[in-house]
Each structure stands twice: as structure tokens, then as C-alpha cells.
Amino acid sequence: MTNHTVNSPQFFLTAPSPCPYLEGESERKVFTHLVGDKAPALNDLLTQGGFRRSQNIAYRPACETCRACISVRILASEFNSTRSMRKNMATNADLVATEYHAEPSNEQFKLFRRYLDSRHKRGGMADMSISDYAMMVEDSHVDTRIIEYRVKVEGDGLQEFPAGPLVGAALTDRMSDGLSMVYSFYDPNATARSLGTYMILDHIERAKALGLPHVYLGYWVEGSRKMEYKTRFLPQEHLMAQGWRRYQG
């Protein structure tokens, strides 16, 4: 495999394909490889420029007729939780979050499959096997962690491997200026917990504790119902033609 440096990455363009977010639109992506010892610095630079990481690939939309995908990052140090968010944290006070190096497990995959089968039956990840999942987690040349969320059980204490049932997991990159939530999934039956919201709130607290200013959420698409939740976490910035700009709502 060819190594690329931060100063001279090679970029490629995908062929058009149907857009998964907006009916009638087609998408194209520009991408490059994140490999070698320069990958962390390149990932930082590209994420700040609106790219996302998937395994050892950094990509961003390059659609010919649409600019609906907008990169979003939460200003963690300024974040103000709403009443409903504080209620969410209280509801999930019985969870314990444990951070590990990016290593897959059968338990994670079972939860991942349940999540996909419930929420994304027709998505591009619908047919992922356990080996595909392992690649998604392990194939990273940057500082990637997996955070497991489990229900506390009596006797867990502060042990390294909590014994409670796994209800959520987040694959997360730690960068120089923030945390990037690469992918998260959770128990689709635990609707009362609103685990998607909880994991974002947990990442905001983690970024604060690390002294990192941002939590990167990926793309927001105005008009896409499945993306509406991202604009609830304020204050936040959107990457526009003029650079990162504070979102006014």
C-alpha cells in the first residue's frame, strides 16, 4: 500500500450513486487514504476541513448539484444542556462507560447487528458481517477508542471490565482539538433511554475533561429527519464556505 504524507495526500473521486439522505439526489465523495505515521496529523487537518473517517479512508461529499451536507462540531467548553438533556443524564445514571483501545468483540457485534436490523435495514451497512465489523473498528492508523456503555450491576465497583449488559458503544477518534464520533450504536429496544443523545452528552463531558474544545458529529443535512437531532447540541459550529461559523438555529 502506498504511504501518503500530510503534505502530499492523493485524492480520488467516487462515481455518482443514489443519495441516502435526500430522495432524487445523487452523491459523490472525494477521499484519500489515512495510513502511516502521518495519519493522525492528516486526520486532524482533514476533519477540521469537513472530512470524515471510515477505516483508513478520509472522505467528504463532492456532489455536483447539492451542498446539503454540512459538517457540525459542538463547542464543548461552552455547551449548555437543556432540561430534557439533564433528564436524559439522570435517566441513564445507572450506566457505566468504559473506554478501551479499538478492539472488536462478539458482544459488540451482536448489539451492532440488532441496531442495524432495527434502524438501518436498507442502509449501506446492512449486510456487514462480523469480519466487516472488526475491520471497521480495527482498521485505523489514528488514535481510535471504543467506549462501551453498560448497565451497572452490584459488585462492579471500578473494575476494568464491568459485567453489566452492553447497551451502547461508540467508536471515537481522539484528535488534537476534539473528539470525533466516528460511529455509535445502541440497543434499539431501550427507547426510553435515548441512548444516542446520552452518548453525545457523554462525549461532551469527556472532551471537557480532556481540555478539548470540540466534539465532531459528522454531517447535518437540512431536511433529513434522521439528522435533525444534531442541531440540538448548542452552541455549535457549521463548516461553511467562509470557514467554521457559529450556528444560529
Side-chain angles (χ1 to χ4, degrees), residues 162-245:
L166 182 69
V167 296
L171 190 64
T172 302
D173 289 345
R174 185 183 295 183
M175 307 189 310
S176 62
D177 74 327
L179 301 177
S180 177
M181 298 185 69
V182 176
Y183 196 79
S184 59
F185 54 94
Y186 49 85
D187 182 353
N189 295 322
T191 53
R193 288 186 177 274
S194 296
L195 287 165
T197 294
Y198 177 72
M199 286 191 281
I200 294 174
L201 294 172
D202 179 66
H203 276 69
I204 293 170
E205 293 304 312
R206 288 173 181 274
K208 288 181 180 179
L210 293 167
L212 299 173
H214 304 122
V215 174
Y216 288 85
L217 293 185
Y219 301 116
W220 169 65
V221 180
E222 187 171 12
S224 172
R225 289 187 60 189
K226 65 176 67 174
M227 293 288 190
E228 288 177 353
Y229 72 93
K230 294 189 178 183
T231 56
R232 295 174 50 227
F233 300 87
L234 300 172
Q236 64 181 232
E237 292 179 329
H238 291 186
L239 185 58
M240 312 304 289
Q242 305 84 3
W244 289 99
R245 292 292 182 268

Coordinates of all heavy atoms in Angstrom, one line a residue, residues 162-245:
P162 N -16.4 -4.0 33.4 CA -17.7 -4.1 34.0 C -18.5 -5.3 33.5 O -18.4 -5.7 32.3 CB -18.4 -2.8 33.7 CG -17.3 -1.9 33.4 CD -16.2 -2.7 32.8
A163 N -19.4 -5.9 34.3 CA -20.1 -7.1 34.0 C -21.5 -6.9 33.5 O -22.1 -7.9 33.0 CB -20.1 -8.0 35.2
G164 N -22.0 -5.7 33.6 CA -23.4 -5.5 33.2 C -23.6 -5.6 31.7 O -22.7 -5.7 30.9
P165 N -24.9 -5.7 31.3 CA -25.2 -5.9 29.9 C -24.8 -4.6 29.1 O -25.0 -3.5 29.5 CB -26.8 -6.0 29.9 CG -27.2 -5.5 31.2 CD -26.1 -5.7 32.1
L166 N -24.3 -4.9 27.9 CA -23.9 -3.8 26.9 C -25.1 -3.3 26.2 O -25.9 -4.0 25.6 CB -23.0 -4.4 25.9 CG -22.4 -3.4 24.9 CD1 -21.4 -2.5 25.5 CD2 -21.7 -4.2 23.7
V167 N -25.3 -1.9 26.4 CA -26.5 -1.3 25.7 C -26.1 -0.3 24.7 O -26.9 0.2 23.9 CB -27.4 -0.6 26.8 CG1 -28.0 -1.7 27.7 CG2 -26.6 0.4 27.6
G168 N -24.8 0.1 24.6 CA -24.4 1.0 23.6 C -22.9 1.0 23.4 O -22.1 0.5 24.3
A169 N -22.4 1.5 22.3 CA -20.9 1.6 22.1 C -20.7 2.7 21.1 O -21.5 3.0 20.2 CB -20.4 0.3 21.5
A170 N -19.5 3.4 21.2 CA -19.2 4.5 20.3 C -17.7 4.3 19.9 O -16.8 4.1 20.7 CB -19.3 5.8 21.0
L171 N -17.5 4.3 18.6 CA -16.1 4.3 18.0 C -15.7 5.8 17.9 O -16.4 6.6 17.1 CB -16.2 3.6 16.7 CG -14.8 3.3 16.0 CD1 -14.0 2.3 16.9 CD2 -15.0 2.7 14.6
T172 N -14.7 6.2 18.5 CA -14.3 7.6 18.6 C -12.8 7.8 18.4 O -12.0 7.1 18.9 CB -14.7 8.1 20.1 OG1 -16.0 7.8 20.3 CG2 -14.3 9.5 20.3
D173 N -12.6 8.9 17.6 CA -11.2 9.3 17.4 C -10.8 10.5 18.3 O -11.6 11.4 18.4 CB -11.0 9.8 15.9 CG -11.0 8.7 14.9 OD1 -10.9 7.5 15.3 OD2 -11.2 9.0 13.7
R174 N -9.7 10.4 18.9 CA -9.2 11.5 19.8 C -8.2 12.3 18.9 O -7.2 11.8 18.4 CB -8.5 11.0 21.0 CG -8.1 12.1 22.0 CD -7.3 11.6 23.2 NE -8.1 10.8 24.0 CZ -7.7 10.3 25.2 NH1 -6.4 10.5 25.6 NH2 -8.5 9.5 25.9
M175 N -8.5 13.6 18.7 CA -7.7 14.4 17.9 C -7.1 15.5 18.7 O -7.4 15.6 19.9 CB -8.6 15.0 16.8 CG -9.3 14.0 16.0 SD -10.1 14.6 14.5 CE -11.0 16.0 15.2
S176 N -6.3 16.4 18.1 CA -5.7 17.5 18.8 C -6.6 18.5 19.3 O -6.4 19.2 20.3 CB -4.6 18.1 18.0 OG -5.2 18.7 16.8
D177 N -7.8 18.7 18.7 CA -8.7 19.7 19.0 C -10.1 19.2 19.4 O -11.1 19.9 19.5 CB -8.9 20.8 17.9 CG -9.7 20.2 16.7 OD1 -9.6 19.0 16.5 OD2 -10.4 21.0 16.1
G178 N -10.2 17.9 19.6 CA -11.5 17.4 20.0 C -11.7 15.9 19.8 O -10.7 15.2 19.5
L179 N -12.9 15.4 20.0 CA -13.3 14.0 19.8 C -14.2 14.0 18.6 O -15.1 14.8 18.5 CB -14.0 13.5 21.0 CG -13.3 13.5 22.4 CD1 -14.2 13.0 23.5 CD2 -12.0 12.7 22.3
S180 N -13.9 13.0 17.8 CA -14.8 12.8 16.6 C -15.5 11.5 16.7 O -14.9 10.4 16.9 CB -13.9 12.7 15.3 OG -14.7 12.5 14.2
M181 N -16.8 11.6 16.8 CA -17.7 10.4 16.9 C -17.8 9.7 15.5 O -18.6 10.1 14.7 CB -19.0 10.8 17.5 CG -18.9 11.4 18.9 SD -20.5 11.7 19.7 CE -21.1 10.0 20.0
V182 N -17.0 8.7 15.3 CA -17.0 8.0 14.0 C -18.3 7.2 13.8 O -18.9 7.3 12.7 CB -15.7 7.1 13.9 CG1 -15.7 6.3 12.6 CG2 -14.5 7.9 14.1
Y183 N -18.7 6.4 14.8 CA -19.9 5.7 14.6 C -20.4 5.2 16.0 O -19.5 4.9 16.9 CB -19.7 4.4 13.8 CG -21.0 3.8 13.3 CD1 -21.7 4.4 12.2 CD2 -21.6 2.7 13.9 CE1 -22.9 3.9 11.8 CE2 -22.8 2.2 13.5 CZ -23.5 2.8 12.5 OH -24.7 2.3 12.1
S184 N -21.6 5.3 16.2 CA -22.2 4.8 17.5 C -23.4 4.0 17.2 O -24.1 4.1 16.2 CB -22.5 6.0 18.4 OG -23.5 6.9 17.8
F185 N -23.7 3.0 18.1 CA -24.9 2.2 18.0 C -25.3 1.8 19.4 O -24.6 1.9 20.4 CB -24.6 0.9 17.2 CG -23.4 0.1 17.6 CD1 -23.5 -1.0 18.5 CD2 -22.1 0.5 17.2 CE1 -22.4 -1.7 18.9 CE2 -21.0 -0.2 17.6 CZ -21.1 -1.3 18.4
Y186 N -26.6 1.3 19.5 CA -27.1 1.1 20.8 C -28.3 0.1 20.7 O -28.8 -0.2 19.6 CB -27.6 2.4 21.5 CG -28.4 3.3 20.6 CD1 -29.8 3.1 20.5 CD2 -27.8 4.3 19.8 CE1 -30.6 3.9 19.7 CE2 -28.6 5.1 19.0 CZ -30.0 4.9 19.0 OH -30.7 5.7 18.1
D187 N -28.8 -0.3 21.9 CA -29.9 -1.2 22.0 C -31.2 -0.6 21.4 O -31.6 0.4 22.0 CB -30.1 -1.6 23.5 CG -31.2 -2.6 23.7 OD1 -31.9 -2.9 22.7 OD2 -31.4 -3.1 24.8
P188 N -31.7 -1.0 20.3 CA -32.9 -0.4 19.7 C -34.1 -0.5 20.6 O -35.1 0.2 20.4 CB -33.0 -1.1 18.4 CG -32.4 -2.4 18.6 CD -31.3 -2.2 19.6
N189 N -34.1 -1.4 21.6 CA -35.3 -1.6 22.4 C -35.3 -0.7 23.6 O -36.3 -0.5 24.3 CB -35.4 -3.1 22.9 CG -35.6 -4.0 21.7 OD1 -36.4 -3.7 20.8 ND2 -35.0 -5.2 21.8
A190 N -34.2 0.0 23.9 CA -34.1 0.8 25.1 C -34.5 2.3 24.7 O -33.7 3.2 24.9 CB -32.7 0.8 25.6
T191 N -35.6 2.4 24.1 CA -36.1 3.7 23.6 C -36.2 4.8 24.7 O -35.9 5.9 24.4 CB -37.4 3.6 22.8 OG1 -38.4 2.9 23.7 CG2 -37.2 2.7 21.6
A192 N -36.6 4.4 25.9 CA -36.8 5.3 27.0 C -35.5 6.0 27.4 O -35.5 7.1 28.0 CB -37.4 4.7 28.2
R193 N -34.4 5.4 27.1 CA -33.1 5.9 27.5 C -32.5 7.0 26.5 O -31.7 7.7 26.9 CB -32.0 4.8 27.6 CG -32.2 3.8 28.7 CD -31.0 2.8 28.8 NE -31.1 1.9 29.9 CZ -30.6 2.2 31.1 NH1 -30.0 3.4 31.4 NH2 -30.7 1.4 32.1
S194 N -33.0 7.0 25.3 CA -32.5 7.9 24.3 C -31.0 7.9 24.3 O -30.3 8.9 24.5 CB -33.0 9.4 24.5 OG -34.4 9.5 24.4
L195 N -30.5 6.7 24.0 CA -29.0 6.4 24.1 C -28.2 7.2 23.1 O -27.0 7.6 23.4 CB -28.7 4.9 24.0 CG -29.2 4.1 25.2 CD1 -29.2 2.6 24.9 CD2 -28.3 4.4 26.4
G196 N -28.7 7.5 22.0 CA -28.0 8.3 21.0 C -27.6 9.7 21.6 O -26.5 10.2 21.5
T197 N -28.6 10.3 22.2 CA -28.4 11.6 22.9 C -27.5 11.4 24.1 O -26.5 12.3 24.2 CB -29.8 12.1 23.4 OG1 -30.6 12.5 22.3 CG2 -29.6 13.4 24.3
Y198 N -27.6 10.4 24.8 CA -26.8 10.2 26.0 C -25.3 10.1 25.6 O -24.4 10.6 26.3 CB -27.2 9.0 26.8 CG -26.3 8.7 28.0 CD1 -26.3 9.5 29.1 CD2 -25.4 7.6 27.9 CE1 -25.5 9.3 30.2 CE2 -24.6 7.4 29.0 CZ -24.6 8.2 30.1 OH -23.8 8.0 31.2
M199 N -25.0 9.3 24.6 CA -23.6 9.1 24.2 C -23.0 10.4 23.7 O -21.8 10.7 24.0 CB -23.5 8.0 23.1 CG -23.7 6.6 23.7 SD -23.3 5.3 22.6 CE -24.8 5.3 21.6
I200 N -23.8 11.3 23.1 CA -23.2 12.6 22.7 C -22.9 13.4 23.9 O -21.9 14.1 24.0 CB -24.2 13.3 21.7 CG1 -24.3 12.6 20.4 CG2 -23.7 14.8 21.5 CD1 -25.3 13.2 19.4
L201 N -23.9 13.5 24.9 CA -23.6 14.2 26.1 C -22.4 13.7 26.8 O -21.6 14.5 27.4 CB -24.9 14.1 27.0 CG -26.2 14.8 26.5 CD1 -27.3 14.4 27.3 CD2 -26.0 16.3 26.4
D202 N -22.2 12.4 26.9 CA -21.1 11.8 27.5 C -19.8 12.2 26.8 O -18.8 12.5 27.5 CB -21.2 10.3 27.5 CG -20.0 9.6 28.2 OD1 -19.8 9.8 29.4 OD2 -19.2 8.9 27.4
H203 N -19.8 12.3 25.5 CA -18.6 12.7 24.7 C -18.3 14.2 25.0 O -17.1 14.6 25.0 CB -18.8 12.5 23.2 CG -18.4 11.1 22.8 ND1 -19.2 10.0 23.2 CD2 -17.4 10.6 22.1 CE1 -18.6 8.9 22.7 NE2 -17.6 9.2 22.0
I204 N -19.3 15.0 25.2 CA -19.1 16.4 25.5 C -18.4 16.5 26.9 O -17.4 17.3 27.0 CB -20.4 17.2 25.6 CG1 -21.0 17.3 24.2 CG2 -20.2 18.6 26.1 CD1 -22.5 17.8 24.1
E205 N -18.8 15.7 27.8 CA -18.1 15.7 29.2 C -16.7 15.2 29.1 O -15.8 15.7 29.7 CB -18.9 14.9 30.1 CG -20.3 15.5 30.5 CD -20.2 16.9 31.0 OE1 -19.3 17.1 31.9 OE2 -20.9 17.8 30.5
R206 N -16.5 14.2 28.2 CA -15.2 13.7 28.0 C -14.2 14.7 27.4 O -13.1 14.8 27.8 CB -15.2 12.4 27.2 CG -15.8 11.2 27.8 CD -16.0 10.0 26.9 NE -16.6 8.9 27.7 CZ -15.9 8.0 28.4 NH1 -14.6 8.1 28.4 NH2 -16.5 7.1 29.1
A207 N -14.7 15.4 26.4 CA -13.9 16.5 25.8 C -13.6 17.6 26.8 O -12.4 18.0 26.8 CB -14.7 17.1 24.6
K208 N -14.5 17.9 27.6 CA -14.2 18.9 28.6 C -13.1 18.5 29.6 O -12.2 19.2 29.9 CB -15.5 19.2 29.4 CG -16.6 20.0 28.7 CD -17.7 20.3 29.6 CE -18.9 21.1 29.0 NZ -20.0 21.3 29.9
A209 N -13.2 17.2 30.0 CA -12.3 16.6 30.9 C -10.9 16.6 30.3 O -9.9 16.7 31.1 CB -12.7 15.3 31.4
L210 N -10.8 16.4 29.0 CA -9.5 16.3 28.3 C -9.0 17.7 27.9 O -7.9 17.8 27.4 CB -9.6 15.5 27.1 CG -9.9 14.0 27.4 CD1 -10.3 13.2 26.1 CD2 -8.6 13.3 27.9
G211 N -9.8 18.8 28.1 CA -9.4 20.1 27.7 C -9.5 20.3 26.2 O -8.8 21.2 25.7
L212 N -10.4 19.5 25.6 CA -10.5 19.6 24.1 C -11.8 20.4 23.8 O -12.8 20.2 24.4 CB -10.6 18.2 23.5 CG -9.4 17.3 23.7 CD1 -9.7 15.9 23.2 CD2 -8.2 17.9 23.0
P213 N -11.7 21.4 22.8 CA -12.8 22.3 22.6 C -14.0 21.8 21.8 O -15.0 22.3 21.8 CB -12.1 23.5 21.8 CG -10.9 22.8 21.1 CD -10.5 21.7 22.1
H214 N -13.8 20.7 21.0 CA -14.8 20.3 20.1 C -15.2 18.8 20.2 O -14.4 18.0 20.6 CB -14.4 20.5 18.7 CG -13.9 21.9 18.4 ND1 -12.7 22.2 17.9 CD2 -14.6 23.1 18.5 CE1 -12.6 23.5 17.8 NE2 -13.7 24.1 18.1
V215 N -16.5 18.6 19.9 CA -17.0 17.2 19.6 C -17.5 17.2 18.2 O -18.5 18.0 17.9 CB -18.1 16.8 20.6 CG1 -18.6 15.4 20.2 CG2 -17.5 16.7 22.0
Y216 N -16.9 16.5 17.3 CA -17.3 16.4 15.9 C -18.4 15.4 15.7 O -18.2 14.2 16.0 CB -16.1 16.1 15.0 CG -15.1 17.2 14.8 CD1 -14.1 17.4 15.8 CD2 -15.2 18.1 13.8 CE1 -13.2 18.5 15.7 CE2 -14.3 19.2 13.7 CZ -13.3 19.3 14.6 OH -12.4 20.4 14.5
L217 N -19.5 15.8 15.1 CA -20.7 14.9 14.9 C -20.9 14.4 13.5 O -21.8 13.7 13.2 CB -22.0 15.6 15.3 CG -22.1 16.0 16.8 CD1 -23.5 16.6 17.1 CD2 -21.9 14.7 17.7
G218 N -20.0 14.8 12.6 CA -20.2 14.4 11.2 C -21.1 15.4 10.5 O -21.0 16.6 10.7
Y219 N -21.9 14.9 9.6 CA -22.7 15.8 8.7 C -24.2 16.0 9.2 O -24.8 15.0 9.6 CB -22.7 15.3 7.3 CG -21.3 15.1 6.7 CD1 -20.8 13.9 6.4 CD2 -20.5 16.2 6.5 CE1 -19.5 13.8 5.9 CE2 -19.3 16.1 6.0 CZ -18.8 14.9 5.7 OH -17.5 14.8 5.2
W220 N -24.6 17.2 9.0 CA -26.0 17.5 9.2 C -26.6 17.8 7.8 O -26.0 18.6 7.1 CB -26.2 18.7 10.2 CG -27.6 19.3 10.2 CD1 -28.7 18.7 10.7 CD2 -28.0 20.6 9.8 NE1 -29.8 19.5 10.5 CE2 -29.4 20.7 10.0 CE3 -27.3 21.7 9.2 CZ2 -30.1 21.8 9.7 CZ3 -28.1 22.8 8.9 CH2 -29.4 22.9 9.1
V221 N -27.8 17.3 7.6 CA -28.5 17.5 6.3 C -29.8 18.1 6.6 O -30.7 17.5 7.1 CB -28.6 16.2 5.5 CG1 -29.3 16.5 4.2 CG2 -27.3 15.5 5.2
E222 N -30.0 19.4 6.3 CA -31.2 20.1 6.5 C -32.3 19.4 5.6 O -32.1 19.2 4.4 CB -31.1 21.6 6.1 CG -32.4 22.3 6.5 CD -32.2 23.8 6.4 OE1 -31.1 24.3 5.8 OE2 -33.0 24.6 6.9
G223 N -33.4 19.1 6.2 CA -34.5 18.4 5.5 C -34.5 16.9 5.7 O -35.4 16.2 5.3
S224 N -33.4 16.4 6.3 CA -33.4 14.9 6.6 C -33.8 14.7 8.1 O -33.1 15.1 9.0 CB -31.9 14.4 6.4 OG -31.8 13.1 6.8
R225 N -34.8 14.0 8.3 CA -35.3 13.7 9.6 C -34.3 13.0 10.5 O -34.2 13.3 11.7 CB -36.7 13.0 9.6 CG -37.8 13.7 9.1 CD -39.1 13.0 9.2 NE -39.4 12.7 10.6 CZ -40.4 11.8 11.0 NH1 -41.1 11.2 10.1 NH2 -40.6 11.6 12.3
K226 N -33.6 12.1 9.9 CA -32.6 11.3 10.7 C -31.4 12.1 11.2 O -30.7 11.7 12.0 CB -32.2 10.1 9.9 CG -31.3 10.4 8.7 CD -30.8 9.1 8.0 CE -31.9 8.3 7.4 NZ -31.4 7.1 6.7
M227 N -31.3 13.3 10.7 CA -30.2 14.2 11.0 C -30.6 15.4 12.0 O -29.8 16.1 12.5 CB -29.5 14.8 9.8 CG -28.9 13.8 8.9 SD -27.3 13.3 9.7 CE -26.6 12.4 8.3
E228 N -31.9 15.5 12.2 CA -32.4 16.6 13.0 C -31.8 16.8 14.4 O -31.6 17.9 14.9 CB -33.9 16.5 13.1 CG -34.7 16.8 11.8 CD -36.2 16.7 12.0 OE1 -36.6 16.2 13.0 OE2 -36.9 17.0 11.0
Y229 N -31.5 15.6 15.0 CA -31.0 15.7 16.4 C -29.7 16.4 16.5 O -29.4 16.9 17.6 CB -30.9 14.2 16.9 CG -29.7 13.5 16.3 CD1 -28.5 13.5 16.9 CD2 -29.8 12.8 15.1 CE1 -27.4 12.8 16.4 CE2 -28.8 12.1 14.5 CZ -27.5 12.1 15.2 OH -26.5 11.5 14.6
K230 N -28.9 16.5 15.5 CA -27.6 17.0 15.6 C -27.6 18.5 16.0 O -26.6 19.0 16.6 CB -26.8 16.8 14.4 CG -26.5 15.3 14.1 CD -25.5 15.1 13.0 CE -25.2 13.6 12.8 NZ -24.2 13.3 11.8
T231 N -28.6 19.2 15.6 CA -28.6 20.7 15.8 C -29.2 21.0 17.2 O -29.3 22.2 17.6 CB -29.5 21.4 14.8 OG1 -30.8 20.8 14.7 CG2 -28.8 21.3 13.4
R232 N -29.5 20.1 18.0 CA -30.0 20.3 19.4 C -28.8 20.6 20.4 O -29.1 21.1 21.5 CB -30.8 19.1 19.9 CG -32.0 18.8 19.1 CD -32.6 17.5 19.6 NE -32.8 17.4 21.0 CZ -32.4 16.4 21.8 NH1 -31.9 15.3 21.2 NH2 -32.6 16.4 23.1
F233 N -27.6 20.3 20.0 CA -26.5 20.4 21.0 C -25.8 21.8 20.7 O -25.0 21.9 19.8 CB -25.5 19.2 20.8 CG -26.2 17.9 21.1 CD1 -26.9 17.2 20.0 CD2 -26.2 17.4 22.3 CE1 -27.5 16.0 20.3 CE2 -26.8 16.2 22.6 CZ -27.5 15.5 21.6
L234 N -26.2 22.7 21.6 CA -25.7 24.1 21.3 C -24.8 24.6 22.5 O -25.0 24.1 23.6 CB -26.9 25.0 21.2 CG -27.9 24.7 20.0 CD1 -29.1 25.6 20.1 CD2 -27.2 24.9 18.7
P235 N -23.9 25.5 22.2 CA -23.6 26.1 20.9 C -22.8 25.1 20.0 O -22.1 24.3 20.5 CB -22.8 27.4 21.2 CG -22.1 27.0 22.5 CD -23.1 26.2 23.3
Q236 N -22.9 25.3 18.7 CA -22.2 24.5 17.8 C -21.8 25.4 16.6 O -22.3 26.5 16.4 CB -23.0 23.3 17.3 CG -24.2 23.6 16.6 CD -25.0 22.4 16.2 OE1 -25.3 22.2 15.0 NE2 -25.3 21.5 17.1
E237 N -20.8 24.8 15.8 CA -20.4 25.5 14.6 C -20.6 24.6 13.4 O -20.6 23.4 13.5 CB -18.9 25.8 14.7 CG -18.5 26.9 15.7 CD -17.0 27.1 15.8 OE1 -16.2 26.2 15.5 OE2 -16.7 28.3 16.1
H238 N -20.9 25.3 12.2 CA -21.1 24.6 11.0 C -20.0 25.1 10.0 O -19.7 26.2 10.0 CB -22.5 24.9 10.4 CG -23.6 24.3 11.2 ND1 -24.9 24.3 10.7 CD2 -23.6 23.6 12.3 CE1 -25.7 23.7 11.6 NE2 -24.9 23.2 12.6
L239 N -19.5 24.1 9.2 CA -18.4 24.5 8.3 C -19.1 25.0 7.0 O -19.7 24.3 6.2 CB -17.6 23.3 8.0 CG -16.4 23.5 7.1 CD1 -15.4 24.6 7.6 CD2 -15.6 22.2 6.8
M240 N -18.9 26.3 6.7 CA -19.5 26.9 5.6 C -18.4 27.3 4.6 O -17.2 27.1 4.9 CB -20.3 28.2 6.0 CG -21.3 27.9 7.2 SD -22.4 26.6 6.9 CE -23.5 27.4 5.6
A241 N -18.7 28.0 3.5 CA -17.7 28.4 2.5 C -16.7 29.3 3.1 O -15.5 29.3 2.7 CB -18.4 29.0 1.3
Q242 N -17.1 30.1 4.1 CA -16.2 31.1 4.8 C -15.4 30.5 5.9 O -14.7 31.2 6.6 CB -17.0 32.3 5.3 CG -17.9 32.9 4.2 CD -19.2 32.3 4.0 OE1 -19.6 31.3 4.7 NE2 -20.0 32.7 3.1
G243 N -15.6 29.2 6.2 CA -15.0 28.5 7.4 C -16.0 28.2 8.4 O -17.2 28.2 8.2
W244 N -15.5 27.8 9.6 CA -16.5 27.4 10.7 C -17.2 28.6 11.2 O -16.6 29.6 11.5 CB -15.7 26.8 11.8 CG -15.2 25.4 11.5 CD1 -13.9 25.1 11.1 CD2 -15.9 24.2 11.5 NE1 -13.8 23.7 10.9 CE2 -15.0 23.1 11.1 CE3 -17.2 23.8 11.8 CZ2 -15.4 21.8 11.1 CZ3 -17.6 22.5 11.8 CH2 -16.7 21.5 11.4
R245 N -18.5 28.5 11.2 CA -19.4 29.6 11.6 C -20.3 29.1 12.7 O -20.9 28.1 12.6 CB -20.2 30.2 10.4 CG -19.3 30.9 9.4 CD -18.7 32.2 10.0 NE -17.9 32.9 9.0 CZ -16.6 32.8 8.8 NH1 -15.9 31.9 9.6 NH2 -15.9 33.5 7.9

